[in-house]
Amino acid sequence: MLITPGKLLSEINGPDDIKKLDQAQLVQLCDELRQFIIDNVSVYGGHFGASLGVVELTVALHYVFKTPYDQLVWDVGHQAYGHKILTGRRDEFHTNRLYGGLSGFPKRKESEYDTFGVGHSSTSISAALGMAVASRYQNIEDKQHIAVIGDGALTGGMAFEGLNHAGVSDTNLLIVLNDNCMAIDPNVGAMKDYLTDITTSKAYNRLKDEAWNLLGKLSMFGKSAQEIASKVESGIKATLLSQSNLFESLNLRYFGPVDGHDVNHLVTVLNDLKNIKGPKILHCITVKGKGYGPSEKGNATTWHAPGTFDKITGEIHKKVFTNPQPPKYQDVFGHTLVELAKQNDKIIGITPAMPSGSSMNIMMKEMPERAIDVGIAEQHAVTFSAGLATQGLIPFCNIYSTFMQRAYDQVIHDVCIQNLPVNFCLDRAGFAGADGPTHHGAYDIAYFRCLPNMIVAAPMNESELRNLMYTAQLPRTERAFSIRYPRGQGVMADWRTPMEEIQIGSGRKIREGEELAILTIGHVGNYAVEVCERLAKLNIEVGHFDMRFAKPLDEQLLHEIFSQYKKILTVEDGSIQGGFGSAIIEFMADHNYHAEIRRLGIPDRIVEHGEQLELHKECGFDPDGIEQAVVAMLESVSKI
Ligand SMILES: Cc1ncc(C[n+]2csc(CCOP(=O)(O)OP(=O)(O)O)c2C)c(N)n1
C-alpha cells in the first residue's frame, strides 16, 4: 500500500526542492512530513518516536545546509526517517526495513545523503570530525560538517572521545545535541542531570537570551559577524566560568538551549551558526514522539518502536492467539534473573541502556537496588561488571551480541586475562531481523570462542536458558560464562521449568541416526528437530546433537559422534568463519578423524535486513535449507 504524501511533501524530491519553499511554508512541510511518518510506520512498523522528535530539525538542517555537499551525520540513525523521505526516498519508504527494501538506518550505499552508515550509537561526532579534518586537510573551507546526536547517545564513551578531540580541532564542525531526556528508556547518569540543569538554570538562560539577542543581529552585520560572534563567545565564556559549562570547557562553543520544534527559529539559528567557524554545539530541546498524541503523551519507551498500530486510536496491534504462546527469550532471561536473585543475594544485573530490550526492566522493577542501567556504555558495563566480580558479587551483564562488539577489549583485558567470573547474557544473537547488518549478532561465537577463560554456551530452548543461567550463578571462582540467545520467541509455552545444573561443556543427544549427524548450537537446534522428523517420515534416520557449548566442547560426545558418523552437518545462527562449525572441524583435525563435514551458518559477507526466517533461508539454514543440505550430503558419494 502506497501512502500518499501531503501537497508540499509530494513535490519534495530532494533538499533543493525544500530550498525552493518560502520559509513560511516550512511549518506545513513539517506537518506533512510528520503525518507521512505516522501513516507509514503505523502500517509497516519501525522506529517511531525518535523520527517524530526531529522533524523540525531535519527540515531546518536540509533547508539551511547544502546537503549532500555539506556532510550531515546522524547518530544511531533510527531517527533519520524524515531525512530519508526528504532526500529522494519518499516513494520507496513503504519498503523501509523490509527484505530487499530500504534500510531502517542511514547507509552509504543507499544514498549520497547518507554520509555515514550507522546503527550503533555515539559514532557521529568522531565520523563528522573525521570528515571535517579531511576538508581542512584538503583546504576546503566552505564545507560544513554536522553531527546530530541524542542525549542518550551522548552517554556513550565514543561521544566523549569525539568531543575531547573536537575541542582542539579547529574544524567546521557543528554538533547538534537532540535532547529529549530519553534513550529507549529514560536516559540515565550525571550527564543527563547536567543537561537538565543547563536547560533549566535561570542564570544561564538569562545570559543565553542576551547572547541570542546579539547573535540574532549577526545576519544584519554581514562581514563583522565574526567579531560579534567572538564577543558573544567571550561574554558567554566569562559568565559561564562560574557556571563551568562542560562543552565550553572542552573548547566547544555552546549555543542553546533552543526549542527544537520551532522550525523557523531553528532556520535562523542554523544560518547564524553557519557563519561561525570552529567546533560548536547547538543544544536543542525536543520531545520524543512529538506531534502524535499517543506517543507524545504516552509511554515514550513503548513508542520508540511500537510495531504497527491504528493511527486513529493509537492502539498498538497485538497478535491474538488462542493457545498459550512461548515467551520471548529475553523475558525468560528477565524473570529467571529475578528468580535467581531472590535466592542468591550476590547477583547483580547490569544493562547498558537496554532495560526494556533485554527485559532487565523486570528486575529493575522488582529489585531496583539489584539492577543497574549504566547508559549506552557497553565498555563500561563490562569493566564495571569485572569490578563487581572482584568483590565476590555475581554480575549478569546483559548486552546484545552486536553491541558487545564495542566491549571486546574490556572482555579480554578486564575479564579474561584476570580470569574473573563474570556472566554475560548476549541477547539478539544471530540474525537480528529488520534492523539489519549493524544489529545482527553474527560474530559472538567466533569472537568469544578464541578467548581463554571464556565459556561459550547457547540454549536450544527456554528451559535450557534457565539451566544455563542457574549454572552460571553457582559458586565459581573463575572463567567468564557467556550465554547467547536470539531475538524473539522460544518454543516452550510452559517454560517455568525447575532449574538444574548443566555440566559445563556438556552436549546432549537429541536423536540417534545412521550415516549423518546434525550438530547444532542454540535455538536453530529446533530447525534440526523439524528436519529430522520430516526425514524420519521418509525412513531416513539422521542423528541430532545439541552441543550447547562451543567452548569447552563436549569432547567425549564428539569422540562418540566421530566414531559413529561419517557425515557431519553443523548448523549455527552465527558466522561460519571461526564459529561453532569451525570448532568442530578443529576438533576433527586435532584428533585425526576423517569425516565429510559441512557447515551452515552466516556466510562471510554482509547480510542485509529482513525477517529472521527470510535471512535464515537466504543463508540456507532454515528448515528447508538444512533438509536440502542433509539430502545432498546423503546422496553424495563420500570422498573419504
Ligand atoms: C552501541 C549501542 N548500544 C545500544 C544501542 C541501542 N539503542 C538504539 S537507540 C538508543 C537510544 C538512543 O537515545 P538518543 O540518542 O537519546 O536518541 P532518541 O531515541 O532519544 O532520539 C539505544 C540505546 C545502540 N544503537 N548502539
Side-chain angles (χ1 to χ4, degrees):
M1 181 176 95
L2 260 179
I3 308 283
T4 315
K7 202 160 140 267
L8 286 184
L9 185 61
S10 63
E11 298 297 319
I12 306 292
N13 296 312
D16 286 349
D17 295 326
I18 313 177
K19 292 184 177 73
K20 286 183 200 148
L21 298 178
D22 285 342
Q23 196 178 320
Q25 294 176 290
L26 294 186
V27 172
Q28 187 187 333
L29 178 61
C30 290
D31 289 347
E32 292 182 11
L33 181 58
R34 180 167 274 119
Q35 191 57 49
F36 191 70
I37 295 171
I38 296 168
D39 291 347
N40 267 282
V41 178
S42 61
V43 175
Y44 297 108
H47 289 104
F48 186 63
S51 278
L52 288 199
V54 294
V55 161
E56 286 76 16
L57 205 45
T58 308
V59 168
L61 284 164
H62 282 295
Y63 191 66
V64 169
F65 290 99
K66 227 174 11 171
T67 54
Y69 177 73
D70 288 339
Q71 302 282 293
L72 177 57
V73 183
W74 296 94
D75 207 285
V76 185
H78 63 308
Q79 78 290 57
Y81 289 8
H83 160 84
K84 291 201 170 211
I85 293 161
L86 294 176
T87 54
R89 286 166 277 181
R90 181 197 56 228
D91 295 342
E92 280 173 277
F93 194 67
H94 62 284
T95 69
N96 186 37
R97 292 164 56 92
L98 300 179
Y99 190 62
L102 289 180
S103 161
F105 298 94
K107 198 175 181 122
R108 280 170 63 81
K109 72 176 179 203
E110 194 177 284
S111 163
E112 59 181 336
Y113 291 93
D114 294 359
T115 57
F116 204 72
V118 271
H120 287 202
S121 147
S122 319
T123 61
S124 62
I125 299 176
S126 305
L129 181 60
M131 295 168 190
V133 167
S135 296
R136 201 192 50 199
Y137 178 68
Q138 295 167 96
N139 296 319
I140 302 169
E141 288 195 359
D142 61 335
K143 200 181 253 205
Q144 306 283 338
H145 314 85
I146 308 121
V148 183
I149 183 164
D151 56 303
L154 197 64
T155 61
M158 269 197 82
F160 287 90
E161 293 167 34
L163 286 175
N164 186 42
H165 183 186
V168 293
S169 69
D170 189 24
T171 50
N172 253 349
L173 175 71
L174 169 64
I175 299 165
V176 178
L177 171 57
N178 170 37
D179 182 2
N180 56 21
C181 289
M182 288 294 293
I184 295 177
D185 294 85
N187 199 9
V188 294
M191 184 69 165
K192 177 209 70 171
D193 293 343
Y194 174 74
L195 292 176
T196 308
D197 280 357
I198 203 167
T199 307
T200 50
S201 151
K202 283 204 181 109
Y204 178 76
N205 277 300
R206 200 173 53 246
L207 167 79
K208 174 211 68 171
D209 288 344
E210 284 163 18
W212 279 114
N213 284 341
L214 253 184
L215 204 55
K217 294 183 186 126
L218 271 180
S219 333
M220 293 191 295
F221 278 80
K223 280 192 180 146
S224 58
Q226 289 305 318
E227 275 169 48
I228 299 210
S230 67
K231 277 190 197 146
V232 171
E233 187 195 352
S234 38
I236 291 177
K237 268 196 176 143
T239 317
L240 285 185
L241 268 185
S242 56
Q243 289 256 308
S244 95
N245 178 293
L246 175 72
F247 303 104
E248 288 285 332
S249 42
L250 288 173
N251 224 7
L252 294 151
R253 291 167 197 165
Y254 171 89
F255 300 95
V258 293
D259 175 358
H261 296 302
D262 182 345
V263 68
N264 282 304
H265 186 53
L266 284 174
V267 166
T268 310
V269 168
L270 291 171
N271 265 319
D272 283 336
L273 291 182
K274 229 168 45 170
N275 296 317
I276 298 175
K277 296 261 177 238
K280 52 208 165 279
I281 184 159
L282 175 66
H283 186 179
C284 295
I285 306 300
T286 62
V287 176
K288 204 161 173 174
K290 175 78 179 177
Y292 177 64
S295 58
E296 189 174 336
K297 299 190 186 77
N299 181 325
T301 303
T302 307
W303 288 95
H304 178 81
T308 62
F309 57 94
D310 180 330
K311 67 178 177 185
I312 309 292
T313 62
E315 193 183 316
I316 294 171
H317 297 147
K318 292 225 162 69
K319 280 191 194 146
V320 183
F321 296 98
T322 41
N323 303 336
Q325 287 297 302
K328 290 180 182 168
Y329 276 105
Q330 68 178 75
D331 288 336
V332 177
F333 161 81
H335 288 293
T336 304
L337 189 61
V338 170
E339 221 174 303
L340 291 170
K342 282 183 180 158
Q343 296 157 21
N344 184 340
D345 65 4
K346 290 197 163 25
I347 290 177
I348 303 279
I350 298 105
T351 172
M354 303 304 279
S356 307
S358 67
S359 293
M360 186 72 83
N361 56 1
I362 298 172
M363 190 180 197
M364 289 169 102
K365 205 162 150 214
E366 279 202 43
M367 315 170 95
E369 71 293 353
R370 303 278 294 279
I372 304 168
D373 177 359
V374 298
I376 310 180
E378 289 79 9
Q379 305 181 11
H380 166 65
V382 169
T383 305
F384 173 70
S385 300
L388 292 171
T390 63
Q391 303 305 304
L393 296 187
I394 302 175
F396 274 79
C397 179
N398 188 309
I399 302 189
Y400 285 16
S401 163
T402 185
F403 301 141
M404 181 60 96
Q405 291 158 198
R406 279 279 164 96
Y408 195 46
D409 180 59
Q410 284 71 11
V411 172
I412 298 171
H413 180 268
D414 302 330
V415 178
C416 292
I417 290 180
Q418 305 194 88
N419 201 2
L420 289 170
V422 175
N423 298 320
F424 295 116
C425 292
L426 306 190
D427 197 329
R428 284 11 176 219
F431 281 130
D435 279 337
T438 55
H439 283 60
H440 294 329
Y443 311 110
D444 58 89
I445 298 182
Y447 69 55
F448 270 2
R449 192 173 79 73
C450 57
L451 301 182
N453 300 326
M454 175 64 80
I455 298 161
V456 181
M460 190 171 128
N461 57 36
E462 292 86 335
S463 166
E464 290 283 303
L465 172 56
R466 283 165 65 74
N467 290 342
L468 285 169
M469 288 177 68
Y470 175 80
T471 306
Q473 55 85 52
L474 291 174
R476 173 177 104 246
T477 52
E478 53 185 29
R479 284 198 289 182
F481 200 134
S482 74
I483 306 171
R484 77 181 314 251
Y485 48 89
R487 170 173 169 263
Q489 283 175 296
V491 288
M492 300 171 65
D494 198 5
W495 58 273
R496 282 185 194 267
T497 48
M499 288 184 265
E500 57 186 48
E501 184 176 358
I502 288 180
Q503 198 197 328
I504 292 173
S506 67
R508 49 183 197 141
K509 181 174 14 177
I510 305 282
R511 192 181 187 110
E512 189 79 54
E514 284 157 9
E515 202 184 337
L516 183 146
I518 307 177
L519 272 52
T520 61
I521 186 159
H523 181 80
V524 284
N526 298 293
Y527 287 173
V529 169
E530 191 183 324
V531 170
C532 291
E533 280 166 10
R534 282 188 204 172
L535 291 171
K537 288 191 187 131
L538 305 172
N539 290 328
I540 302 172
E541 286 303 333
V542 169
H544 175 204
F545 297 84
D546 165 27
M547 295 304 293
R548 285 202 289 226
F549 292 85
K551 183 179 186 173
L553 286 172
D554 188 336
E555 299 217 342
Q556 195 186 331
L557 185 59
L558 284 174
H559 281 297
E560 286 167 26
I561 293 169
F562 276 96
S563 309
Q564 188 182 340
Y565 297 91
K566 286 289 156 241
K567 296 185 178 184
I568 306 282
L569 178 67
T570 65
V571 186
E572 64 199 294
D573 189 4
S575 68
I576 295 181
Q577 313 273 324
F580 162 71
S582 298
I584 301 299
I585 289 184
E586 286 165 22
F587 173 88
M588 180 176 78
D590 290 348
H591 296 87
N592 227 356
Y593 285 111
H594 298 278
E596 187 180 329
I597 190 157
R598 192 168 157 199
R599 287 169 295 158
L600 293 180
I602 301 180
D604 185 19
R605 65 178 169 82
I606 300 301
V607 179
E608 301 293 347
H609 57 281
E611 295 281 322
Q612 280 162 307
L613 188 57
E614 286 173 325
L615 302 179
H616 294 168
K617 206 175 197 52
E618 177 184 315
C619 297
F621 64 90
D622 65 315
D624 291 344
I626 297 172
E627 185 180 338
Q628 278 166 23
V630 170
V631 171
M633 285 180 83
L634 288 176
E635 282 173 355
S636 80
V637 179
S638 180
K639 296 188 189 87
I640 293 165

